Amino acid sequence: MLPPLLLLHACGHSEADSAAGPAPTIEAFTVTPSTTNAGRTVQLNWTVTGATSLLILPGSINVSGQTGTSFVVPAGTTRLALQASNRGGTTTVPANLRAYDWSGTATTLNGTIGSGTGQVSGYSFGLFDRSGPLFAQAGGDIPADQLVLLASATKLPSVMAILTMVDRGEIALDTPVGQYLALDPSFDWPTDKGLITMRMLLAHTSGLPGLDDPAQPACITDETSVSLRECAQRIARVDLASAPGTAFNYGGIDFQIAGYVATLIANQNWQDFFQARLAGPLGLTRFTYGDPATVINPRIAGGGASIASEYGEFLRLLLNDGVYNGNRVLSSAMVTQVLTDQTVGLRTIYSPFPFGRRIDYPGYGFGVFLTAPRKHPGSNGPEWSDPGLFGTMPWIDLALGYGAVLLLQADIVNGTETGLDIWDELRPGIITQLTLPAS
């Protein structure tokens, strides 16, 4: 439990007692950053005239200096103020600080544990802003350090790794991928797929069969007895479900082709490619598609596993426009592509959302769905998400500058709907905290 206010450091120029006269003037009192969370250090700066004593409230902490600086750790409910006094009186000015209280979010999460309808046996949750974690909690049978299968929430990380190739000029989004597959002379890429581009593969508009199409090759779920190349070849030989670029048909085989193109050009297996292009630069040590010694056909669209804190780094990368801890990992142009609806004007053949909820997610970028604005009152959005079959829900809100990930292992039949329901319960409280007026 944090004390109400912890003073870490103070510095300034001391002032002798002044004679009786007017009360002191506080010309400026600021806090940086102006939004914070319990446990984070903030910096206070002030300029006063005529003061013989200065106190930071609450806690009546003595500081000195007509111009000075202090570093403090406020509790979630703290309202910081500077009190300046002399023989003539006292002046008090509050800091422009917004401190978050996530107890409501914690209560909502704990209420999901159980055996009732819509409840789960465990969860791991992380909430982030552009600078780092805001709140984290795990409950039930999923500890915070346990890897959780992501299912389709794998798509966003896979997309971001592949887009580093566009930044490096190794591929172009609108060049037919057959030009790249030609680097493998024995790979058969039929002429009916000649117009398919990387853009179409990453947006599920390639014309390849979708998730509920029986024509989808079974190799998509066989990670150990068939190679990524062989699975891609089987996919290449299936009949198209629609003409390339004419319909949205959500599934996984598009990404299997995209992943093979990436490994072919990079001359690396997928796991090494992902580590070099994304996991390494983000400092991730737990995120995995499986051991390449055994997983030789990693599921590019659905085979990842992560802990909440590491998945949050993908979200932070997007929120920071492709920059991570001062280093550019993905260009601003590629972040824009991820977060642009690639399906405008196209018909939908298949969407993964339960019937009646598809209208709530009307657009798709690269690996992420756009949320209808009515789902996030209090924020102008846009809000983007990458839901998984077992209930995992990662999302970001660009207007409020936050991201969150809820890791679940719900049953395969109701997992997506369970995750959506819990997300809908969590969202209002998060938006309320992030939009509270500063105190």
Side-chain angles (χ1 to χ4, degrees):
M1 188 76 177
L2 285 169
L5 191 66
L6 174 63
L7 181 67
L8 301 183
H9 175 70
C11 58
H13 304 288
S14 62
E15 178 98 352
D17 288 352
S18 62
T25 298
I26 299 178
E27 298 173 6
F29 180 48
T30 61
V31 57
T32 306
S34 60
T35 57
T36 190
N37 206 38
R40 284 192 179 179
T41 301
V42 298
Q43 178 177 318
L44 303 177
N45 292 282
W46 62 83
T47 300
V48 302
T49 56
T52 57
S53 68
L54 292 172
L55 298 176
I56 294 176
L57 306 175
S60 297
I61 300 169
N62 285 290
V63 292
S64 64
Q66 301 298 293
T67 299
T69 298
S70 291
F71 296 90
V72 301
V73 181
T77 56
T78 295
R79 293 189 174 188
L80 298 173
L82 180 68
Q83 180 178 289
S85 302
N86 64 19
R87 294 178 184 177
T90 297
T91 302
T92 303
V93 171
N96 185 29
L97 173 69
R98 180 180 295 128
Y100 304 128
D101 178 2
W102 302 115
S103 59
T105 300
T107 298
T108 299
L109 286 166
N110 286 333
T112 69
I113 300 296
S115 56
T117 302
Q119 290 188 303
V120 293
S121 61
Y123 69 83
S124 182
F125 178 77
L127 180 68
F128 315 83
D129 65 10
R130 291 184 172 93
S131 61
L134 290 173
F135 171 73
Q137 182 169 288
D141 59 4
I142 300 181
D145 62 351
Q146 177 177 306
L147 286 173
V148 176
L149 296 175
L150 300 172
S152 287
T154 306
K155 288 182 174 66
L156 176 60
S158 295
V159 160
M160 295 166 75
I162 290 170
L163 291 180
T164 65
M165 306 189 81
V166 182
D167 281 337
R168 298 187 186 194
E170 296 165 315
I171 61 172
L173 286 173
D174 298 310
T175 295
V177 294
Q179 294 188 26
Y180 307 121
L181 291 168
L183 294 172
D184 181 349
S186 62
F187 193 91
D188 175 26
W189 187 241
T191 56
D192 67 329
K193 301 173 181 67
L195 296 179
I196 294 176
T197 64
M198 185 62 74
R199 180 185 300 277
M200 296 175 190
L201 293 172
L202 299 182
H204 302 295
T205 62
S206 68
L208 290 168
L211 194 60
D212 68 340
D213 194 320
Q216 181 175 255
C219 69
I220 191 68
T221 59
D222 184 353
E223 296 183 314
T224 59
S225 62
V226 63
S227 70
L228 176 58
R229 181 195 182 281
E230 177 56 31
C231 189
Q233 183 63 85
R234 295 181 191 179
I235 293 167
R237 291 173 177 153
V238 302
D239 292 335
L240 291 175
S242 61
T246 64
F248 174 70
N249 199 356
Y250 185 84
I253 64 177
D254 308 80
F255 276 52
Q256 217 65 6
I257 295 290
Y260 178 60
V261 170
T263 61
L264 181 61
I265 294 173
N267 194 30
Q268 292 176 296
N269 64 53
W270 175 260
Q271 291 92 328
D272 288 346
F273 166 77
F274 187 85
Q275 176 65 32
R277 297 302 180 96
L278 198 57
L282 297 186
L284 309 185
T285 61
R286 301 292 308 283
F287 188 94
T288 181
Y289 290 82
D291 183 352
T294 55
V295 177
I296 57 175
N297 180 34
R299 296 174 60 198
I300 311 302
S306 184
I307 58 176
S309 60
E310 290 208 346
Y311 198 101
E313 303 299 71
F314 302 126
L315 305 179
R316 278 218 299 140
L317 184 63
L318 292 179
L319 290 172
N320 286 306
D321 201 34
V323 175
Y324 183 79
N325 289 348
N327 299 313
R328 181 157 292 284
V329 177
L330 201 61
S331 70
S332 177
M334 290 303 98
V335 172
T336 297
Q337 290 294 330
V338 172
L339 305 178
T340 296
D341 187 358
Q342 306 286 335
T343 65
V344 176
L346 304 184
R347 67 188 177 100
T348 296
I349 297 176
Y350 177 74
S351 170
F353 294 100
F355 185 76
R357 302 184 84 149
R358 296 180 182 182
I359 194 173
D360 293 332
Y361 306 94
Y364 192 78
F366 286 156
V368 286
F369 283 92
L370 178 64
T371 307
R374 65 179 174 275
K375 296 291 290 181
H376 48 80
S379 171
N380 292 329
E383 182 185 84
W384 295 88
S385 65
D386 185 17
L389 182 62
F390 306 127
T392 284
M393 296 286 152
W395 74 93
I396 60 171
D397 182 313
L398 297 184
L400 298 183
Y402 87 92
V405 58
L406 172 69
L407 299 184
L408 301 177
Q409 288 291 270
D411 66 88
I412 197 169
V413 175
N414 300 308
T416 300
E417 189 143 23
T418 297
L420 291 173
D421 287 342
I422 297 174
W423 176 15
D424 285 348
E425 289 184 60
L426 290 168
R427 185 196 286 112
I430 293 171
I431 292 177
T432 295
Q433 285 299 310
L434 294 176
T435 56
L436 283 173
S439 60

